[in-house]
Amino acid sequence: DIQMTQSPSTLSASVGDRVTLTCRASQTITTWLAWYQQKPGKAPKLLIHDASSLQSGVPSRFSGSGSGTEFTLTISSLQPDDFATYYCQQYKSYSNTFGPGTKLEIK
Amino acid sequence: QVQLQESGPGLVKPSQTLSLTCAVSGASISSDDYYWNWIRQAPGKGLEWIGYIHYRGSTFYKPSLKSRLTMSLDTSKNQFSLNLKSVTAADTAVYFCARSDYPSLYFDLWGQGTLVSVSS
């Protein structure tokens, strides 16, 4: 299986901050990567697919970049609704895998 | 508006079979364009993809679960199902059904999830 790691595991930030979350794959996945936001007790929500394509309806303050093995999710100006856990997912292989998540907390 | 809704027992005894159904509304599961997936999340843990089924019958399961797992679909009811046999406490999780595009495997629509506890 392709292993995914995310850093940091927890990030404390304030409303209005620009934050960057990192995801790394154990082998190249070109741009077969998605990002999800999950709030407690809720299903994950797709934010980004194909590493940098914004899912319809997702605010433009979210952006994704990267290719190969290293990827980032950037939130340009944090809003109160953005405090959640973020997961990356590789789908290069049919046995797709998720990263362990980054919890974004209010400072 | 497409919606997915999981249903099934919230409690299963060890060694028995966990059975869940995902009802799809607002779209047909009889489409070449989508895979229908199951994903789970143990309490306080991350997400684990379990497997998918396509309406033409193809399936792909997580290798570590393959020996215990069966997925099926019922086009007449527009729903798909999961059966996981010989469960243990390690199978306790919130189970989500989700849709992914063919051939990409990112999940654009999710059910709300249902908690299944494995306990005697």
Side-chain angles (χ1 to χ4, degrees):
Chain A
D1 282 359
I2 299 174
Q3 307 302 317
M4 307 300 291
T5 59
Q6 291 185 243
S7 60
S9 55
T10 305
L11 178 60
S12 296
S14 302
V15 173
D17 285 353
R18 177 184 179 91
V19 297
T20 298
L21 285 58
T22 299
C23 174
R24 292 184 175 87
S26 61
Q27 59 185 267
T28 182
I29 57 171
T30 58
T31 56
W32 300 113
L33 186 102
W35 288 96
Y36 301 84
Q37 176 194 69
Q38 187 179 33
K39 297 181 180 179
K42 301 293 186 183
K45 173 186 174 184
L46 177 66
L47 301 175
I48 301 282
H49 61 87
D50 301 336
S52 61
S53 296
L54 192 68
Q55 176 69 359
S56 176
V58 174
S60 59
R61 63 181 180 273
F62 291 92
S63 64
S65 66
S67 66
T69 61
E70 187 154 337
F71 303 85
T72 59
L73 174 70
T74 298
I75 309 173
S76 60
S77 178
L78 273 174
Q79 299 302 300
D81 191 49
D82 299 339
F83 293 95
T85 299
Y86 292 83
Y87 294 95
C88 62
Q89 175 222 358
Q90 67 79 17
Y91 47 95
K92 177 179 186 291
S93 72
Y94 280 109
S95 192
N96 65 93
T97 46
F98 291 88
T102 291
K103 185 175 182 180
L104 183 52
E105 298 181 329
I106 300 175
K107 183 185 286 185
Chain B
Q1 181 185 1
V2 183
Q3 292 186 314
L4 286 69
Q5 178 69 59
E6 305 88 350
S7 62
L11 181 64
V12 181
K13 288 182 167 45
S15 79
Q16 294 191 343
T17 297
L18 182 161
S19 297
L20 296 173
T21 296
C22 180
V24 180
S25 59
S28 173
I29 65 170
S30 302
S31 168
D32 278 323
D33 295 336
Y34 300 115
Y35 291 123
W36 303 97
N37 299 262
W38 290 96
I39 296 154
R40 69 182 181 180
Q41 186 171 36
K45 302 297 184 182
L47 298 161
E48 178 185 26
W49 173 80
I50 296 170
Y52 74 67
I53 186 166
H54 186 266
Y55 100 97
R56 292 191 181 273
S58 64
T59 55
F60 193 89
Y61 303 149
K62 181 170 181 169
S64 61
L65 297 172
K66 187 176 180 179
S67 63
R68 299 193 290 132
L69 191 57
T70 304
M71 292 184 185
S72 61
L73 50 77
D74 185 337
T75 56
S76 66
K77 294 182 178 179
N78 213 43
Q79 62 188 33
F80 60 104
S81 298
L82 163 75
N83 282 287
L84 181 66
K85 65 182 183 182
S86 305
V87 296
T88 70
D91 295 309
T92 293
V94 174
Y95 286 76
F96 297 98
C97 57
R99 185 184 79 173
S100 58
D101 276 352
Y102 174 85
S104 296
L105 282 172
Y106 59 83
F107 310 108
D108 65 340
L109 281 176
W110 296 66
Q112 65 185 27
T114 187
L115 175 62
V116 180
S117 298
V118 178
S119 175
S120 55

